[in-house]
């Protein structure tokens, strides 16, 4: 049984979490990351204290948007000069910097107060699975969405053995018969 001192130390220690962003929806992942950065997963959470943990997100280059947000979502900023409103589409921003879309989403979901910049410093984003914090990682968190496999990820044998819901062989025969009439 752990002593009170060690329990207290474990409660207040900043943990390092690793999350794989491959196939994760940007908004749902950002919402989860915001909670971890604020410390909402700890039993001693209080909005005025800074008890959040470090989060390392790998494969941010493979995050996804739902719908047509890659073409429709705009990120705006103003240069400060007259007529200086600049807009960039999510797809172009992602091509320029693969971590920026997720960084902006998390930044927008954190509370707008003086702790926001400190919390963002504990967010470490990497476009691939290579990162320098391997020795610091204490736990791995699952993303909020199920990781879906693409068709290219399946082997040919898995595709052939997949159970068929409908028997379409008779449709092929009908097509061949219709071609013979013409």
């Amino acid at each position: 049984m752990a002593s009170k001192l060690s329990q207290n130390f474990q409660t207040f220690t900043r943990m390092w979490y690793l999350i794989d962003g491959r196939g994760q929806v940007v908004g749902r992942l950002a919402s989860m990351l915001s909670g971890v950065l604020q410390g909402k997963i700890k039993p001693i959470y209080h909005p005025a204290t800074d008890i959040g943990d470090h989060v390392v997100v790998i494969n941010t280059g493979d995050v996804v948007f739902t719908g047509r947000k890659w073409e429709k979502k705009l990120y705006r900023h103003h240069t400060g000069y007259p007529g200086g409103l600049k807009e960039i589409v999510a797809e172009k921003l992602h091509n320029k910097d693969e971590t920026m879309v997720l960084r902006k989403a998390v930044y927008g979901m954190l509370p707008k107060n003086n702790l926001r910049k400190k919390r963002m410093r504990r967010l470490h984003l990497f476009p691939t699975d290579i990162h320098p914090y391997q020795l610091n990682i204490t736990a791995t968190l699952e993303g909020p969405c199920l990781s879906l496999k693409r068709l290219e990820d399946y082997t040919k044998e898995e595709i052939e053995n997949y159970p068929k819901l409908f028997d379409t062989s008779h449709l092929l025969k009908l097509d061949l018969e219709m071609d013979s009439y013409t």
Side-chain angles (χ1 to χ4, degrees):
M1 185 163 167
S3 68
K4 284 288 187 187
L5 182 62
S6 67
Q7 287 177 350
N8 194 17
F9 179 73
Q10 289 174 350
T11 304
F12 284 98
T13 302
R14 292 199 194 275
M15 302 284 287
W16 282 74
Y17 293 108
L18 177 71
I19 298 177
D20 189 3
R22 185 182 309 273
Q24 298 292 325
V25 178
V26 172
R28 293 177 187 175
L29 181 60
S31 177
M32 181 186 148
L33 295 176
S34 172
V36 175
L37 290 172
Q38 293 175 60
K40 286 189 173 184
I41 62 173
K42 293 187 175 186
I44 57 168
Y45 169 73
H46 188 271
T49 59
D50 186 24
I51 56 168
D53 299 319
H54 290 268
V55 181
V56 177
V57 184
I58 57 173
N59 296 322
T60 58
D62 297 327
V63 293
V64 297
F65 272 123
T66 56
R68 297 181 56 198
K69 291 187 186 103
W70 284 119
E71 301 96 29
K72 299 283 185 179
K73 184 166 181 58
L74 293 174
Y75 292 98
R76 295 182 177 100
H77 72 279
H78 202 282
T79 62
Y81 289 98
L85 181 65
K86 301 293 180 183
E87 295 179 342
I88 187 167
V89 181
E91 188 174 15
K92 285 186 180 179
L93 181 65
H94 188 69
N95 290 339
K96 188 186 290 187
D97 183 7
E98 295 179 336
T99 63
M100 194 55 68
V101 171
L102 188 60
R103 183 176 305 278
K104 285 181 175 283
V106 173
Y107 188 79
M109 290 191 185
L110 286 173
K112 283 69 175 176
N113 57 23
N114 292 337
L115 295 175
R116 189 187 219 185
K117 287 183 182 177
K118 276 187 182 178
R119 289 173 174 156
M120 283 301 292
R121 279 189 223 121
R122 288 194 302 271
L123 178 65
H124 311 280
L125 303 174
F126 298 96
T128 61
D129 56 355
I130 299 168
H131 62 91
Y133 300 110
Q134 191 61 41
L135 297 176
N136 298 349
I137 303 297
T138 55
T140 302
L141 292 178
E142 292 293 323
C145 303
L146 294 174
S147 296
L148 301 176
K149 288 175 71 175
R150 296 182 180 181
L151 188 58
E152 299 89 39
D153 296 339
Y154 289 101
T155 63
K156 189 173 183 178
E157 185 177 298
E158 286 177 321
I159 294 172
E160 291 173 358
N161 293 335
Y162 192 78
K164 305 214 179 343
L165 297 175
F166 302 103
D167 182 24
T168 58
S169 60
H170 68 284
L171 295 176
L172 182 61
K173 291 178 186 175
L174 288 176
D175 286 342
L176 293 175
E177 290 175 6
M178 293 301 276
D179 288 342
S180 64
Y181 288 125
T182 56

